[in-house]
Amino acid sequence: MNTVVYKILLVDEDQVFVRQTRQLLVSQTYETYTAASEEEGMIICQQQQPDLIICGAHLRGTGGHHFIMALRNEPSFDHIPLIFITIKDNKQEMRMAMNLGADDYLARPFRKRDLLLSIRSRLGRFAKFNHVRPPDAVSSVSLSDPTSAQQALYHRLGKAENRIIKMIAEGKSTKQMADELNVSIRTIENHRYRIAGKLGVAGRNALTEFVIRNIIQQQKPM
């Protein structure tokens, strides 16, 4: 009988924490990869397609929140469960991570058992989504049908980008989005720019017009 070996990526700049956590994961027969920066983490995701990611709040050259945004904006990776690790019980940091797409969080120091339980829970919950890629046919779906439009957007965009689309449909301003997600206005504007590029629309108000035309109006009763 074949035993499934799960791949776990650990992203953190604290080499002591990385070494100790890696030893724990290897002892539980998890195939473990490590990275210290956002760039290294994304490269390993592309090469290894991990089943779960453990991400620290502080990475080399940037923060863990930036890695989460990069991960959730990539449709190939936005299904991967992610556990966010903070150095202390920082509610704002944790809330921001969850808003950006983290699936669970732990504050250091934590018990080994708590981390292992979180890993098993995430893997069990998301197992059916692992290694599933959006179908290539999605790009040809007609956005004139409301159900097709929502499905097309879901598959074409990352988790964080889909959340931005939802907020636009709710009529929220850029500042309101930034406040709700605990990120800067510049970050929201960058999200909007990338979304517009993926959807093939241009112009300052083009994305809002796209959402009104293809989502809001299609949802109105006839």
Side-chain angles (χ1 to χ4, degrees), residues 13-14 58 61 74 82 90 120 146 152-153 198-199 204 216:
E13 70 172 357
D14 186 337
H58 301 287
E74 174 51 61
L82 183 143
N90 187 320
R120 289 165 189 159
L153 286 173
K198 289 183 179 182
L199 298 179
R204 182 171 181 81
I216 298 176

Side-chain angles (χ1 to χ4, degrees), residues 57-58 65 84-88 90-98:
H58 301 287
H65 298 104
F84 188 72
I85 306 294
T86 62
I87 296 179
K88 56 184 179 179
N90 187 320
K91 299 296 184 185
Q92 184 176 0
E93 230 175 36
M94 292 177 179
R95 190 180 304 113
M96 186 188 301
M98 298 298 285

Side-chain angles (χ1 to χ4, degrees), residues 93-111:
E93 230 175 36
M94 292 177 179
R95 190 180 304 113
M96 186 188 301
M98 298 298 285
N99 284 337
L100 292 173
D103 299 287
D104 196 10
Y105 61 82
L106 290 171
R108 294 169 54 186
F110 51 77
R111 296 179 300 175

Side-chain angles (χ1 to χ4, degrees), residues 2-216:
N2 294 329
T3 302
V4 177
V5 177
Y6 290 106
K7 297 180 180 181
I8 295 180
L9 169 61
L10 175 59
V11 190
D12 199 296
E13 70 172 357
D14 186 337
Q15 293 306 301
V16 174
F17 172 73
V18 168
R19 184 175 66 254
Q20 293 174 342
T21 305
R22 184 178 184 280
Q23 290 174 347
L24 173 65
L25 298 176
V26 170
S27 72
Q28 301 296 311
T29 69
Y30 292 120
E31 189 174 329
T32 308
Y33 301 87
T34 63
S37 68
E38 174 188 333
E39 182 180 5
E40 291 175 359
M42 293 301 292
I43 290 174
I44 293 176
C45 283
Q46 293 169 356
Q47 295 175 341
Q48 300 299 331
Q49 291 288 314
D51 298 292
L52 181 140
I53 297 172
I54 299 171
C55 177
H58 301 287
L59 311 183
R60 185 191 303 149
T62 186
H65 298 104
H66 292 86
F67 175 75
I68 298 175
M69 285 191 289
L71 189 78
R72 295 313 186 206
N73 282 335
E74 174 51 61
S76 299
F77 308 140
D78 71 349
H79 66 284
I80 302 176
L82 183 143
I83 300 172
F84 188 72
I85 306 294
T86 62
I87 296 179
K88 56 184 179 179
D89 191 7
N90 187 320
K91 299 296 184 185
Q92 184 176 0
E93 230 175 36
M94 292 177 179
R95 190 180 304 113
M96 186 188 301
M98 298 298 285
N99 284 337
L100 292 173
D103 299 287
D104 196 10
Y105 61 82
L106 290 171
R108 294 169 54 186
F110 51 77
R111 296 179 300 175
K112 295 178 181 179
R113 179 175 177 273
D114 291 337
L115 177 59
L116 294 177
L117 285 174
S118 180
I119 290 172
R120 289 165 189 159
S121 175
R122 284 340 103 186
L123 288 175
R125 181 180 175 189
F126 288 89
K128 63 181 179 180
F129 298 114
N130 287 344
H131 308 300
V132 175
R133 293 174 178 273
D136 294 336
V138 165
S139 59
S140 64
V141 175
S142 172
L143 295 180
S144 62
D145 175 74
T147 302
S148 296
Q150 293 170 14
Q151 292 176 346
L153 286 173
Y154 176 80
H155 288 296
R156 193 180 301 178
L157 305 178
K159 184 180 291 186
E161 292 170 331
N162 272 301
R163 184 155 190 175
I164 296 295
I165 287 289
K166 182 175 182 293
M167 289 181 176
I168 293 174
E170 292 170 349
K172 294 181 179 177
S173 67
T174 300
K175 185 178 185 307
Q176 287 173 322
M177 296 182 207
D179 290 342
E180 185 168 330
L181 294 176
N182 284 316
V183 297
S184 67
I185 291 177
R186 179 66 179 273
T187 297
I188 298 297
E189 291 175 342
N190 287 339
H191 274 301
R192 293 179 63 113
Y193 177 80
R194 285 193 293 268
I195 294 169
K198 289 183 179 182
L199 298 179
V201 298
R204 182 171 181 81
N205 298 316
L207 182 58
T208 301
E209 292 171 358
F210 177 93
V211 172
I212 293 172
R213 183 173 63 253
N214 293 291
I215 298 180
I216 298 176

